[in-house]
Amino acid sequence: MAALTPTTRQPTAPVTAAPRRGRWIDDWRPEDPAFWESAGKPVARRNLFFSVFSEHIGFSIWSLWSVLVLFLPEAVYGIDPAGKFLLTTLPTALGAFVRLPYTFAVARFGGRNWTIVSAALLLVPTIATAVVLEPGVDYTTLLVVSCLAGVGGGNFASSMANINAFYPNRLKGWALGLNAGGGNLGVPVVQLVGLLVLATAGAEHPRLVLLVYIPLIAVAAVGAALLMDNLTTARNQPRAMREATREPHTWIMSFLYIGTFGSFIGFGFAFGQVLQNQFTGDFATPLAAASLTWLGPLLGSLIRPLGGSLADRFGGARITFWNFAAMAVGAGIVWSASQVGSLPLFVVGFVSLFVFSGLGNGSTYKMIPAIFRTQAQQRVAAGEDGAVADRHALRMSGALIGIAGAVGAFGGVLVNLAFRQSFLATGTGDSAYLVFIAFYLVCLAVTWAVYLRPRAPMSGV
């Protein structure tokens, strides 16, 4: 990729310069309209496309065990429902943990370079699982290889931090929403692959799911190597993450992201098992459960870009506020359906939770660059140089994206643990549903108090 530099006579008009080794772009000015229209947009779109593809495969590997547990009948593998919930909890936990170093890796190695590495790393859990997954395998071995699938969760953080640097502020909500939504689609797609294998080959052939993904992982790594770019402007200063941890909005946004993304990924991992355990008569076979598990994650993924677009138009905080209200209602519908044993109402409530969690994923991520853009405007008004303020905003938003992504993913761990404990104690998910309702109401109150309350410093973000 040829780097782009301005001419002397027309500062806003880019011209091509000699390419740098390693596909690095030195001159990147997405906020400059002339630069963006003439050269920035096609480069950004190309990087967005391959970022989405790599992240999509990462999500599929991360959520792989939400499918594989359906191939593990208790009579054959000796794993009870609580044990299966643990198999889906461990990759969620590792995926949350690796998101922090993955965010740093973009600044340290470059977005293109790290996409190559992170995509190639997906071969480790995929091949390891293919080797050990057979009747008679030790449960501890399954726990270890399921945990390895967590590396797929890190791809999201590095991908979002990378794309955040490519797009202008006015398009970040759309771009980040599309990037994340396309990645999130990896959850329903791997579930559909599992459904196809169950319907054609049967529950005795889980390795077929893995064989589908090995060549796709190779395509993701090679495609990134050939067609993506690194931005020198995306390099964070040292200790950027440490500085972000001292920013109060980092922890507020992380808390809100637990409610949106934590719900999405947690429900995505648990939905099939919840159906099998709570409506055993209707989902006595893995194929019956798999026939429904993909629907919620699919709709939640597809609607995520809409959440970003609505946030671009009406403000991220406003969309997030009403979204949490809708999620509380959705959780209430699920709880009510559980009380009366209504499967149709239960599915409607759960699917609505997926849809609104996906919508909220887009709106909360739009809030992150908007918060630091507002701070940059306040710094400029106080006399600070505009370019310095903008660089600080970009650096801080990238760091916060990494932290919020990691903390939000731990929400998926909490969702699975809540279900596990609820089923162990009562045989249903009723206790977990009540906890979800309460949590969404707290998130709603926090959003209003910090970002919508009149005269709040960040009001209207």
Side-chain angles (χ1 to χ4, degrees), residues 236-257:
N236 290 334
Q237 297 176 11
R239 298 183 295 276
M241 198 73 76
R242 184 182 303 175
E243 183 179 353
T245 61
R246 296 193 292 267
E247 169 60 57
H249 293 288
T250 295
W251 304 111
I252 296 170
M253 291 306 304
S254 296
F255 179 78
L256 297 180
Y257 202 55

Side-chain angles (χ1 to χ4, degrees), residues 50-222:
F50 284 96
S51 175
V52 168
F53 182 73
S54 176
E55 185 192 345
H56 175 96
I57 302 302
F59 261 97
S60 290
I61 301 305
W62 191 22
S63 55
L64 182 66
W65 282 87
S66 69
V67 173
L68 293 183
V69 292
L70 301 178
F71 289 82
L72 307 179
E74 187 173 351
V76 178
Y77 286 84
I79 306 173
D80 62 13
K84 291 181 181 179
F85 273 117
L86 190 57
L87 284 171
T88 58
T89 300
L90 288 180
T92 314
L94 181 64
F97 177 77
V98 299
R99 284 186 168 197
L100 290 176
Y102 269 56
T103 301
F104 263 139
V106 170
R108 178 66 181 86
F109 303 107
R112 165 201 177 256
N113 295 348
W114 187 250
T115 301
I116 299 170
V117 173
S118 62
L121 283 174
L122 299 175
L123 290 171
V124 176
T126 309
I127 294 175
T129 303
V131 170
V132 306
L133 190 58
E134 60 184 2
V137 62
D138 182 69
Y139 180 61
T140 301
T141 301
L142 290 182
L143 289 176
V144 171
V145 295
S146 72
C147 189
L148 291 176
V151 297
N155 290 35
F156 172 85
S158 56
S159 178
M160 293 293 276
N162 185 39
I163 294 304
N164 181 59
F166 271 98
Y167 277 83
N169 280 291
R170 61 186 177 84
L171 295 176
K172 283 186 188 294
W174 173 83
L176 293 176
L178 185 63
N179 186 61
N184 290 171
L185 279 171
V187 179
V189 168
V190 73
Q191 292 171 345
L192 285 171
V193 170
L195 174 62
L196 178 63
V197 172
L198 284 169
T200 56
E204 299 79 20
H205 301 284
R207 285 191 176 95
L208 292 178
V209 177
L210 304 165
L211 293 177
V212 168
Y213 277 93
I214 290 174
L216 293 177
I217 293 170
V219 171
V222 173

Side-chain angles (χ1 to χ4, degrees), residues 374-440:
T374 300
Q375 287 186 347
Q377 292 169 348
Q378 294 170 350
R379 287 168 177 260
V380 171
E384 185 173 310
D385 179 73
V388 173
D390 285 342
R391 284 196 299 270
H392 180 267
L394 177 61
R395 180 169 60 88
M396 291 296 289
S397 62
L400 199 160
I401 281 174
I403 295 174
V407 176
F410 272 114
V413 178
L414 298 177
V415 166
N416 278 269
L417 291 177
F419 276 127
R420 183 175 186 271
Q421 187 59 38
S422 184
F423 277 104
L424 281 174
T426 67
T428 71
D430 292 353
S431 299
Y433 308 140
L434 293 175
V435 171
F436 300 152
I437 294 170
F439 184 75
Y440 298 146

